[in-house]
Coordinates of all heavy atoms in Angstrom, one line a residue:
T92 N -21.2 219.9 79.2 CA -22.2 219.6 80.1 C -21.6 218.6 81.1 O -20.6 217.9 80.9 CB -23.4 219.0 79.4 OG1 -23.0 217.8 78.8 CG2 -24.0 219.9 78.4
W93 N -22.3 218.4 82.2 CA -21.8 217.5 83.3 C -22.0 216.0 82.8 O -21.4 215.2 83.5 CB -22.5 217.8 84.6 CG -21.9 218.9 85.3 CD1 -22.4 220.2 85.4 CD2 -20.6 219.0 85.8 NE1 -21.6 221.0 86.0 CE2 -20.4 220.3 86.3 CE3 -19.6 218.1 86.0 CZ2 -19.3 220.7 86.9 CZ3 -18.4 218.5 86.7 CH2 -18.3 219.8 87.1
E94 N -22.7 215.8 81.7 CA -22.8 214.4 81.2 C -21.4 214.0 80.7 O -21.1 212.8 80.6 CB -23.8 214.2 80.1 CG -25.2 214.4 80.6 CD -25.7 215.8 80.6 OE1 -25.2 216.6 79.8 OE2 -26.5 216.1 81.5
D95 N -20.5 214.9 80.4 CA -19.2 214.6 79.8 C -18.1 214.5 80.9 O -17.0 214.4 80.6 CB -18.8 215.7 78.8 CG -19.8 215.8 77.7 OD1 -20.3 214.8 77.3 OD2 -20.0 216.9 77.2
R96 N -18.5 214.6 82.1 CA -17.5 214.6 83.2 C -16.8 213.2 83.3 O -17.3 212.2 83.0 CB -18.1 215.0 84.5 CG -19.1 214.0 85.1 CD -19.8 214.6 86.3 NE -20.8 213.7 86.8 CZ -22.1 213.8 86.6 NH1 -22.5 214.8 85.9 NH2 -22.9 212.9 87.1
V97 N -15.6 213.3 83.9 CA -14.8 212.1 84.1 C -14.0 212.3 85.4 O -13.8 213.4 85.8 CB -13.8 212.0 82.9 CG1 -12.9 213.1 82.7 CG2 -13.0 210.7 82.9
R98 N -13.7 211.2 86.0 CA -13.0 211.3 87.3 C -11.6 211.9 87.1 O -11.0 211.7 86.0 CB -12.8 209.9 87.9 CG -14.2 209.4 88.5 CD -14.0 208.1 89.1 NE -15.3 207.6 89.5 CZ -15.5 206.8 90.6 NH1 -14.5 206.5 91.3 NH2 -16.7 206.5 90.9
L99 N -11.1 212.6 88.0 CA -9.9 213.3 87.9 C -8.7 212.4 87.5 O -7.9 212.8 86.6 CB -9.5 214.0 89.2 CG -8.3 214.9 89.2 CD1 -8.4 216.0 88.2 CD2 -8.1 215.5 90.6
P100 N -8.5 211.3 88.1 CA -7.3 210.5 87.6 C -7.3 210.1 86.1 O -6.3 210.2 85.4 CB -7.4 209.2 88.5 CG -8.1 209.6 89.7 CD -9.1 210.6 89.2
A101 N -8.5 209.8 85.6 CA -8.7 209.4 84.2 C -8.4 210.7 83.3 O -7.8 210.6 82.3 CB -10.1 208.9 83.9
Y102 N -8.9 211.8 83.8 CA -8.7 213.1 83.1 C -7.2 213.4 83.0 O -6.7 213.8 81.9 CB -9.5 214.2 83.8 CG -9.3 215.5 83.1 CD1 -10.0 215.9 81.9 CD2 -8.5 216.5 83.6 CE1 -9.8 217.1 81.3 CE2 -8.3 217.7 83.0 CZ -9.0 218.0 81.9 OH -8.9 219.2 81.3
V103 N -6.5 213.3 84.1 CA -5.1 213.6 84.1 C -4.4 212.7 83.1 O -3.5 213.1 82.3 CB -4.5 213.4 85.5 CG1 -3.0 213.5 85.5 CG2 -5.1 214.5 86.4
R104 N -4.7 211.4 83.2 CA -4.1 210.4 82.2 C -4.3 210.8 80.8 O -3.4 210.8 80.0 CB -4.6 209.0 82.5 CG -3.8 208.1 83.3 CD -4.2 206.7 83.3 NE -5.7 206.5 83.5 CZ -6.2 206.4 84.7 NH1 -5.5 206.6 85.8 NH2 -7.5 206.2 84.8
E105 N -5.6 211.1 80.4 CA -5.9 211.5 79.1 C -5.1 212.8 78.7 O -4.6 212.9 77.5 CB -7.4 211.8 79.0 CG -8.3 210.6 79.1 CD -9.8 211.0 79.2 OE1 -10.1 212.2 79.0 OE2 -10.6 210.1 79.4
Q106 N -5.1 213.8 79.5 CA -4.4 215.0 79.2 C -2.9 214.8 79.1 O -2.3 215.4 78.2 CB -4.7 216.1 80.3 CG -6.2 216.5 80.3 CD -6.6 217.1 79.0 OE1 -6.1 218.1 78.6 NE2 -7.6 216.5 78.4
R107 N -2.3 214.0 79.9 CA -0.9 213.7 79.8 C -0.5 213.0 78.5 O 0.5 213.3 77.9 CB -0.4 212.9 81.0 CG -0.4 213.7 82.3 CD 0.1 213.0 83.5 NE 1.6 212.9 83.3 CZ 2.3 212.2 84.1 NH1 1.8 211.5 85.1 NH2 3.6 212.1 83.9
V108 N -1.3 212.0 78.1 CA -1.1 211.3 76.9 C -1.2 212.3 75.7 O -0.4 212.2 74.7 CB -2.1 210.1 76.7 CG1 -2.1 209.6 75.3 CG2 -1.8 209.0 77.7
A109 N -2.2 213.2 75.8 CA -2.4 214.2 74.7 C -1.4 215.3 74.7 O -1.4 216.2 73.9 CB -3.8 214.7 74.7
G110 N -0.5 215.4 75.8 CA 0.4 216.4 76.0 C -0.2 217.8 76.4 O 0.4 218.8 76.2
K111 N -1.4 217.7 77.0 CA -2.1 218.9 77.4 C -2.1 219.1 78.9 O -2.7 220.1 79.4 CB -3.6 218.8 76.9 CG -3.7 218.8 75.4 CD -5.2 218.7 75.0 CE -5.3 218.6 73.5 NZ -6.7 218.5 73.1
W112 N -1.5 218.2 79.7 CA -1.5 218.4 81.1 C -0.4 219.4 81.5 O 0.8 219.0 81.3 CB -1.3 217.1 81.8 CG -1.4 217.2 83.3 CD1 -0.4 217.1 84.2 CD2 -2.6 217.5 84.1 NE1 -0.9 217.2 85.5 CE2 -2.2 217.5 85.5 CE3 -3.9 217.7 83.8 CZ2 -3.1 217.7 86.5 CZ3 -4.8 218.0 84.8 CH2 -4.4 218.0 86.2
T113 N -0.8 220.6 81.9 CA 0.2 221.6 82.2 C 0.1 222.0 83.7 O -0.8 221.6 84.3 CB 0.0 222.8 81.3 OG1 -1.3 223.4 81.7 CG2 0.0 222.5 79.8
V114 N 1.1 222.7 84.1 CA 1.1 223.2 85.5 C -0.2 224.1 85.7 O -0.8 224.1 86.7 CB 2.4 224.0 85.8 CG1 2.3 224.7 87.1 CG2 3.6 223.1 85.7
V115 N -0.5 224.9 84.7 CA -1.7 225.8 84.8 C -3.0 225.0 85.0 O -3.8 225.3 85.9 CB -1.8 226.6 83.5 CG1 -3.1 227.4 83.5 CG2 -0.6 227.6 83.3
V116 N -3.1 223.9 84.3 CA -4.3 223.0 84.5 C -4.3 222.3 85.8 O -5.3 222.3 86.5 CB -4.4 222.0 83.3 CG1 -5.6 221.0 83.5 CG2 -4.5 222.6 82.0
A117 N -3.1 221.9 86.3 CA -3.0 221.2 87.6 C -3.3 222.2 88.7 O -4.1 221.9 89.6 CB -1.6 220.7 87.8
V118 N -2.8 223.4 88.6 CA -3.1 224.5 89.6 C -4.6 224.8 89.6 O -5.2 225.0 90.7 CB -2.3 225.7 89.4 CG1 -2.7 226.9 90.3 CG2 -0.8 225.4 89.7
R119 N -5.2 224.9 88.4 CA -6.6 225.2 88.3 C -7.5 224.1 89.0 O -8.4 224.4 89.8 CB -7.1 225.3 86.9 CG -8.5 225.8 86.7 CD -9.0 225.9 85.3 NE -8.1 226.7 84.5 CZ -8.0 226.7 83.2 NH1 -8.7 225.8 82.5 NH2 -7.2 227.5 82.6
A120 N -7.1 222.8 88.8 CA -7.8 221.7 89.5 C -7.6 221.8 91.0 O -8.6 221.6 91.7 CB -7.3 220.4 88.9
C121 N -6.4 222.1 91.4 CA -6.2 222.2 92.9 C -7.0 223.3 93.5 O -7.6 223.2 94.6 CB -4.7 222.4 93.2 SG -3.7 220.9 92.8
R122 N -7.0 224.4 92.8 CA -7.8 225.6 93.3 C -9.3 225.3 93.4 O -9.9 225.7 94.4 CB -7.6 226.8 92.4 CG -6.2 227.4 92.6 CD -6.0 228.7 91.8 NE -6.8 229.7 92.5 CZ -7.0 230.9 92.1 NH1 -6.4 231.3 90.9 NH2 -7.7 231.8 92.7
L123 N -9.8 224.6 92.4 CA -11.2 224.2 92.5 C -11.5 223.2 93.6 O -12.6 223.4 94.3 CB -11.7 223.6 91.1 CG -11.7 224.6 90.0 CD1 -12.0 223.9 88.6 CD2 -12.9 225.6 90.2
I124 N -10.6 222.3 93.8 CA -10.8 221.4 95.0 C -10.8 222.1 96.3 O -11.6 222.0 97.2 CB -9.8 220.3 94.9 CG1 -10.0 219.3 93.8 CG2 -9.8 219.5 96.3 CD1 -8.9 218.3 93.5
C125 N -9.8 223.0 96.4 CA -9.7 223.9 97.6 C -10.9 224.7 97.8 O -11.4 224.9 99.0 CB -8.4 224.7 97.6 SG -6.9 223.7 97.8
T126 N -11.5 225.3 96.8 CA -12.7 226.1 96.8 C -13.9 225.3 97.3 O -14.6 225.8 98.2 CB -13.0 226.8 95.5 OG1 -11.8 227.6 95.1 CG2 -14.2 227.6 95.5
A127 N -14.0 224.1 96.8 CA -15.1 223.2 97.2 C -15.0 222.9 98.7 O -16.0 222.9 99.4 CB -15.1 222.0 96.4
L128 N -13.8 222.6 99.1 CA -13.5 222.2 100.5 C -13.8 223.4 101.4 O -14.4 223.3 102.5 CB -12.1 221.7 100.7 CG -11.9 220.3 100.1 CD1 -10.4 219.9 100.3 CD2 -12.8 219.2 100.8
A129 N -13.4 224.6 101.0 CA -13.6 225.8 101.8 C -15.1 226.1 101.9 O -15.5 226.5 103.0 CB -12.9 227.0 101.1
A130 N -15.9 225.8 100.9 CA -17.3 226.0 101.0 C -17.9 225.0 102.0 O -18.8 225.4 102.8 CB -18.0 225.8 99.6
L131 N -17.4 223.8 102.0 CA -17.9 222.9 103.0 C -17.5 223.3 104.4 O -18.4 223.3 105.3 CB -17.3 221.5 102.8 CG -17.9 220.6 101.7 CD1 -17.1 219.4 101.5 CD2 -19.4 220.3 102.0
H132 N -16.3 223.7 104.6 CA -15.8 224.2 105.9 C -16.5 225.4 106.4 O -16.8 225.5 107.6 CB -14.3 224.4 105.9 CG -13.5 223.1 105.6 ND1 -12.2 223.2 105.4 CD2 -13.9 221.8 105.6 CE1 -11.7 221.9 105.2 NE2 -12.8 221.1 105.3
E133 N -16.9 226.3 105.5 CA -17.7 227.5 105.9 C -19.0 227.1 106.5 O -19.6 227.8 107.3 CB -17.9 228.4 104.8 CG -16.6 229.2 104.4 CD -16.9 230.0 103.1 OE1 -18.0 230.0 102.5 OE2 -15.9 230.6 102.6
R134 N -19.5 225.9 106.1 CA -20.8 225.5 106.6 C -20.6 224.4 107.7 O -21.5 223.7 108.1 CB -21.6 224.9 105.5 CG -22.0 226.0 104.5 CD -22.4 225.4 103.1 NE -22.9 226.4 102.2 CZ -22.0 227.2 101.5 NH1 -20.7 227.1 101.6 NH2 -22.5 228.1 100.7
N135 N -19.4 224.4 108.3 CA -19.0 223.5 109.4 C -19.1 222.0 109.1 O -19.5 221.2 109.9 CB -19.9 223.8 110.6 CG -19.5 225.2 111.2 OD1 -18.4 225.6 111.2 ND2 -20.6 226.0 111.5
F136 N -18.8 221.7 107.8 CA -18.7 220.3 107.4 C -17.3 219.9 107.1 O -16.5 220.8 106.7 CB -19.5 220.0 106.1 CG -21.0 220.0 106.3 CD1 -21.8 221.1 106.0 CD2 -21.6 218.8 106.7 CE1 -23.2 221.1 106.2 CE2 -23.0 218.8 106.9 CZ -23.8 219.9 106.7
V137 N -16.9 218.7 107.4 CA -15.6 218.2 107.0 C -15.9 217.0 106.0 O -16.7 216.1 106.4 CB -14.8 217.7 108.2 CG1 -13.5 217.1 107.8 CG2 -14.6 218.8 109.2
H138 N -15.2 217.0 104.9 CA -15.5 216.0 103.9 C -15.2 214.6 104.4 O -16.0 213.7 104.3 CB -14.6 216.2 102.6 CG -15.0 215.4 101.5 ND1 -14.6 214.1 101.4 CD2 -15.7 215.6 100.3 CE1 -15.0 213.5 100.3 NE2 -15.7 214.4 99.6
G139 N -14.0 214.3 105.0 CA -13.7 213.1 105.6 C -13.2 212.0 104.7 O -12.8 210.9 105.2
D140 N -13.2 212.2 103.4 CA -12.7 211.1 102.5 C -12.2 211.7 101.2 O -12.6 211.3 100.1 CB -13.8 210.1 102.3 CG -13.3 208.8 101.6 OD1 -12.1 208.5 101.7 OD2 -14.1 208.1 100.9
I141 N -11.2 212.6 101.3 CA -10.7 213.3 100.1 C -9.8 212.3 99.4 O -8.9 211.7 100.0 CB -9.9 214.5 100.5 CG1 -10.7 215.5 101.3 CG2 -9.2 215.1 99.3 CD1 -11.9 216.0 100.5
Q142 N -10.1 212.1 98.1 CA -9.3 211.3 97.2 C -9.6 211.7 95.8 O -10.6 212.2 95.5 CB -9.4 209.8 97.5 CG -10.9 209.3 97.4 CD -11.0 207.9 97.7 OE1 -10.4 207.0 97.0 NE2 -11.7 207.6 98.8
A143 N -8.6 211.5 94.9 CA -8.7 211.9 93.5 C -9.9 211.3 92.8 O -10.6 212.0 92.0 CB -7.5 211.6 92.8
T144 N -10.3 210.1 93.2 CA -11.5 209.5 92.5 C -12.8 210.1 92.9 O -13.8 209.9 92.2 CB -11.5 208.0 92.8 OG1 -11.6 207.8 94.2 CG2 -10.3 207.3 92.2
H145 N -12.8 211.0 93.9 CA -14.0 211.7 94.3 C -14.1 213.1 93.6 O -15.1 213.8 93.8 CB -14.1 211.9 95.8 CG -14.4 210.6 96.5 ND1 -14.2 210.5 97.8 CD2 -14.9 209.4 96.1 CE1 -14.5 209.2 98.2 NE2 -15.0 208.6 97.2
A146 N -13.2 213.4 92.8 CA -13.2 214.7 92.0 C -13.5 214.3 90.6 O -12.8 213.6 89.9 CB -11.9 215.4 92.1
W147 N -14.6 214.9 90.1 CA -15.0 214.7 88.7 C -14.8 216.0 88.0 O -15.1 217.1 88.4 CB -16.5 214.4 88.7 CG -16.8 213.0 89.2 CD1 -16.9 212.6 90.5 CD2 -17.1 211.8 88.5 NE1 -17.2 211.3 90.6 CE2 -17.3 210.8 89.4 CE3 -17.1 211.6 87.1 CZ2 -17.6 209.5 89.0 CZ3 -17.4 210.3 86.7 CH2 -17.6 209.2 87.6
V148 N -14.2 215.9 86.8 CA -13.9 217.0 85.9 C -14.8 217.1 84.8 O -15.2 216.1 84.1 CB -12.4 216.8 85.4 CG1 -12.1 217.9 84.4 CG2 -11.4 216.8 86.5
Q149 N -15.3 218.3 84.5 CA -16.0 218.7 83.3 C -15.0 219.3 82.4 O -14.4 220.4 82.8 CB -17.1 219.6 83.6 CG -17.8 220.2 82.4 CD -18.8 221.2 82.7 OE1 -19.8 220.9 83.3 NE2 -18.6 222.5 82.3
P150 N -14.6 218.7 81.3 CA -13.5 219.3 80.5 C -13.7 220.6 79.9 O -12.8 221.5 79.9 CB -13.3 218.2 79.4 CG -14.0 217.0 79.9 CD -15.1 217.5 80.8
D151 N -14.9 220.9 79.3 CA -15.0 222.2 78.6 C -16.4 222.7 78.8 O -17.4 222.1 78.3 CB -14.7 222.0 77.1 CG -14.7 223.2 76.3 OD1 -14.3 224.3 76.9 OD2 -15.0 223.2 75.1
P152 N -16.6 223.9 79.5 CA -15.6 224.6 80.1 C -15.1 223.9 81.4 O -15.9 223.2 82.0 CB -16.3 225.9 80.5 CG -17.8 225.6 80.6 CD -18.0 224.4 79.6
F153 N -13.9 224.1 81.7 CA -13.3 223.4 82.8 C -14.0 223.6 84.1 O -14.2 224.8 84.5 CB -11.8 223.7 82.9 CG -11.0 222.8 83.9 CD1 -10.6 221.6 83.5 CD2 -10.8 223.3 85.2 CE1 -9.9 220.8 84.4 CE2 -10.1 222.4 86.1 CZ -9.6 221.2 85.6
G154 N -14.4 222.6 84.8 CA -15.1 222.7 86.1 C -14.8 221.4 86.9 O -14.3 220.4 86.3
L155 N -15.1 221.4 88.1 CA -14.8 220.3 89.0 C -15.9 220.1 90.0 O -16.5 221.1 90.5 CB -13.5 220.5 89.7 CG -12.9 219.3 90.4 CD1 -11.5 219.1 90.1 CD2 -13.1 219.4 91.9
L156 N -16.3 218.9 90.2 CA -17.4 218.5 91.1 C -16.8 217.6 92.1 O -16.1 216.6 91.8 CB -18.5 217.8 90.4 CG -19.7 217.4 91.2 CD1 -20.4 218.5 91.8 CD2 -20.7 216.6 90.3
L157 N -16.9 217.9 93.4 CA -16.3 217.0 94.5 C -17.5 216.2 95.1 O -18.4 216.7 95.6 CB -15.7 217.9 95.5 CG -14.9 217.3 96.6 CD1 -13.7 216.5 96.0 CD2 -14.4 218.3 97.6
L158 N -17.3 214.9 94.9 CA -18.3 213.9 95.4 C -17.8 213.1 96.5 O -16.6 213.3 96.9 CB -18.8 213.1 94.3 CG -19.5 213.8 93.1 CD1 -19.8 212.8 92.0 CD2 -20.7 214.5 93.5
G159 N -18.5 212.1 97.0 CA -18.0 211.2 97.9 C -18.0 211.7 99.3 O -17.2 211.4 100.1
A160 N -18.9 212.6 99.6 CA -18.9 213.2 101.0 C -19.8 212.5 102.0 O -20.3 213.0 102.9 CB -19.4 214.7 100.8
G161 N -20.0 211.2 101.7 CA -20.8 210.4 102.6 C -20.2 210.3 104.1 O -20.9 210.0 105.0
L162 N -19.0 210.6 104.2 CA -18.4 210.6 105.5 C -18.3 212.0 106.2 O -17.5 212.3 107.1 CB -16.9 210.0 105.5 CG -16.9 208.6 105.0 CD1 -15.4 208.1 104.9 CD2 -17.6 207.7 106.0
C163 N -19.1 212.9 105.6 CA -19.1 214.3 106.2 C -19.6 214.3 107.6 O -20.4 213.5 108.0 CB -20.0 215.2 105.4 SG -19.3 216.0 104.0
W164 N -19.0 215.2 108.4 CA -19.5 215.4 109.8 C -19.3 216.8 110.1 O -18.7 217.6 109.5 CB -18.8 214.5 110.8 CG -17.3 214.7 110.9 CD1 -16.8 215.6 111.8 CD2 -16.3 214.0 110.3 NE1 -15.4 215.5 111.6 CE2 -15.1 214.6 110.8 CE3 -16.2 213.0 109.3 CZ2 -13.8 214.1 110.3 CZ3 -15.0 212.6 108.9 CH2 -13.8 213.1 109.4

């Protein structure tokens, strides 16, 4: 559930310590961020403040929520 979400930098740290951060997981996270940005761009919005701390990860099933769009235009 989304109650279990954690910011992307903390998730990466946890996964690296546990030996679970792989290229596959990194690419999946990047693809989800790109998909979220593409959805914004299709609606003529620009996020304006992309940073890792604005990406929240839901660990299981893996999902990503992009927040911090207060600077959208």
